[in-house]
Amino acid sequence: MSASDPSYHPETRLVHAGTLRSQFGETSESLFLTQGFVYDSAEECEERFASSTPGFLYSRFSNPTVAMFERRMAAFEGAEAARATATGMAAVTAALVGQVRAGDHVVAAKALFGGCRWVVEDFLPRFGVASTLINGLDLDAWRRAVRPNTKVFFLESPTNPALDVIDIAAVAKIAHDAGANLVVDNVFATPLWQSPLALGADCVVYSATKHIDGQGRCLGGVVLASEVFIQEHIHMLLRQTGPSMSPFNAWVLLKGLETLHLRVRRQTETAAAVAQALAEHPAITRLVYPGRPDHPQAATAQRQMSGGSTLVAFEVGGGKAGAFRFLDALKLVRITNNLGDAKSLVTHPATTTHQRLTAEQRAELGISGGLVRFSAGLEHAYDVVGDLLAALAAV
Ligand SMILES: Cc1ncc(COP(=O)(O)O)c(C=O)c1O
């Protein structure tokens, strides 16, 4: 049985799947820091380029360490194929741009990470691809947005930063009825807690920069789908335009995958403890956590996610000034714009990741001046909760 076999538990696949051992029989995955490959004869080189014999050609699109990362991700996600990219944004851009031509139309939920929203709203229209942003929670809004030329639906769930949970299976059905494909950015759910392909999505994208690395070291991205989807929409775009993952980053991310389930489980426990400790706090005016029964889409979350979240969103009383007083009073939890790290982190979305939006657009998405996004790290939960409570006392 191959290590990628789905009858192995996810934890086992995360450690073994996709490994390519060299002639030295190394235990840990090898780092192939090479641009290209040599051939014993011109004939062998010709055959390799004609794809009549298997093998690697050039690290812009084929490298053994990157291939191990892609194969391990595909085995974990339950996808037929995967392609790694330099960043999460390169993965999102490839997944969208690879499917459309001038004259096509894309529908996306408006609750998107700032960069993703820019690609949909500002970048695609430059090339004659129209886009419509809708409230992703409203299934009728997806239906109403469909045009004869709609090719792609795009969403993230839970959303960044307000942690809304969109019904992936329902949106996939609407997309397919309209003859469109659904792309899901699964960064906030992580591959441990949500499997969009099993829910009907056609393509899943990750910023591997987040939980997959999980230790704040390097950037990366990955696109996962069926072999046909990857060949039709993704492979040539990445091969010929070159937003490739470096072999070094692939090696770091491979080692990150080995511990992903341990880290994400622990981070989820800590996030749940934080949500529990802060939910009734008098300085908090609103708290959203996908693992809680009071989450606005708790039923959907329970249906499509097998765990809570490593993130908690909450609103500190006193608007931006209150939130800033809270952030500045933290001693252990660090202020940043990133998430999914070994270190617990807090972000003020209105002035960082979603700063580019207008005040009205932010209000529509529940991104108030008081909103804080907390990302659980690997510290002891007691210390993290203690730091947050002490800082809230300063608000
Ligand atoms: C939901 C989501 N998608 C995509 C990205 C982009 O990933 P990267 O920073 O690796 O390009 C991020 C974060 O940056 C994100 O939070």
Side-chain angles (χ1 to χ4, degrees):
M1 180 161 74
S2 132
S4 305
D5 195 290
S7 62
Y8 278 126
H9 288 85
E11 291 85 346
T12 308
R13 277 178 272 146
L14 279 172
V15 174
H16 292 286
T19 302
L20 296 169
R21 280 210 169 83
S22 79
Q23 69 272 32
F24 300 115
E26 63 281 357
T27 312
S28 176
E29 294 74 5
S30 293
L31 170 49
F32 290 92
L33 273 183
T34 180
Q35 297 169 342
F37 302 85
V38 293
Y39 312 94
D40 287 337
S41 66
E43 288 74 19
E44 187 195 346
C45 183
E46 182 185 20
E47 284 170 13
R48 197 78 69 81
F49 268 78
S51 301
S52 49
T53 57
F56 296 93
L57 291 167
Y58 186 59
S59 288
R60 175 164 18 89
F61 52 89
S62 76
N63 172 280
T65 313
V66 178
M68 284 192 260
F69 171 70
E70 292 171 339
R71 290 174 194 201
R72 191 166 293 176
M73 275 303 307
F76 186 44
E77 192 72 38
E80 283 175 11
R83 287 293 181 278
T85 53
T87 64
M89 283 318 306
V92 169
T93 306
L96 299 178
V97 171
Q99 294 190 71
V100 291
R101 280 163 183 60
D104 288 343
H105 175 235
V106 172
V107 185
K110 60 176 85 158
L112 290 177
F113 169 64
C116 300
R117 183 160 172 161
W118 182 85
V119 170
V120 171
E121 203 174 21
D122 298 81
F123 187 60
L124 291 179
R126 287 188 198 175
F127 305 97
V129 177
S131 59
T132 308
L133 289 170
I134 50 122
N135 171 4
L137 295 170
D138 179 353
L139 295 179
D140 278 334
W142 289 100
R143 285 188 200 99
R144 282 196 305 273
V146 169
R147 300 181 191 169
N149 54 343
T150 303
K151 292 285 171 7
V152 183
F153 277 24
F154 177 49
L155 64 86
E156 58 185 50
S157 182
T159 61
N160 181 1
L163 307 181
D164 290 333
V165 173
I166 300 177
D167 188 334
I168 295 173
V171 176
K173 164 117 187 29
I174 299 168
H176 297 157
D177 288 348
N181 288 324
L182 172 63
V183 177
V184 174
D185 181 336
N186 208 35
V187 163
F188 270 46
T190 82
L192 196 68
W193 297 143
Q194 184 168 275
S195 305
L197 297 176
L199 293 164
D202 302 279
C203 176
V204 181
V205 288
Y206 288 99
S207 163
T209 314
K210 310 297 188 286
H211 304 86
I212 292 172
D213 171 26
Q215 290 155 82
R217 298 166 295 191
C218 69
L219 287 91
V222 58
V223 184
L224 299 121
S226 68
E227 191 64 55
V228 169
F229 187 102
I230 294 288
Q231 290 305 331
E232 262 181 32
H233 304 298
I234 308 297
H235 178 74
M236 285 309 270
L237 176 69
L238 294 179
R239 175 174 172 149
Q240 309 297 23
T241 64
S244 334
M245 176 179 282
S246 86
F248 180 77
N249 287 6
W251 182 81
V252 172
L253 295 165
L254 260 172
K255 304 313 283 178
L257 282 177
E258 290 183 338
T259 58
L260 179 82
H261 63 100
L262 297 170
R263 290 183 285 100
V264 170
R265 274 182 219 283
R266 174 63 180 274
Q267 289 167 325
T268 304
E269 283 164 18
T270 299
V274 165
Q276 182 67 21
L278 268 54
E280 306 296 328
H281 194 286
I284 301 286
T285 50
R286 185 167 71 98
L287 182 139
V288 187
Y289 182 66
R292 282 174 66 86
D294 61 2
H295 185 281
Q297 297 87 40
T300 312
Q302 197 168 16
R303 211 169 44 244
Q304 72 184 22
M305 297 180 72
S306 53
S309 173
T310 66
L311 295 129
V312 186
F314 53 88
E315 214 165 61
V316 179
K320 179 182 165 190
F324 274 28
R325 272 197 298 280
F326 164 70
L327 295 178
D328 292 345
L330 290 164
K331 296 213 160 30
L332 182 67
V333 178
R334 304 312 307 255
I335 305 168
T336 183
N337 52 302
N338 205 8
L339 61 103
D341 200 288
K343 297 176 174 63
S344 288
L345 305 171
V346 275
T347 301
H348 187 248
T351 53
T352 59
T353 51
H354 293 72
Q355 187 198 52
R356 201 183 61 82
L357 301 186
T358 63
E360 295 74 47
Q361 287 171 333
R362 282 197 294 270
E364 223 175 27
L365 299 172
I367 306 173
S368 63
L371 188 77
V372 170
R373 186 188 75 194
F374 167 79
S375 165
L378 298 176
E379 307 91 340
H380 196 292
Y382 184 88
D383 295 333
V384 174
V385 170
D387 194 41
L388 295 170
L389 291 177
L392 281 175
V395 172

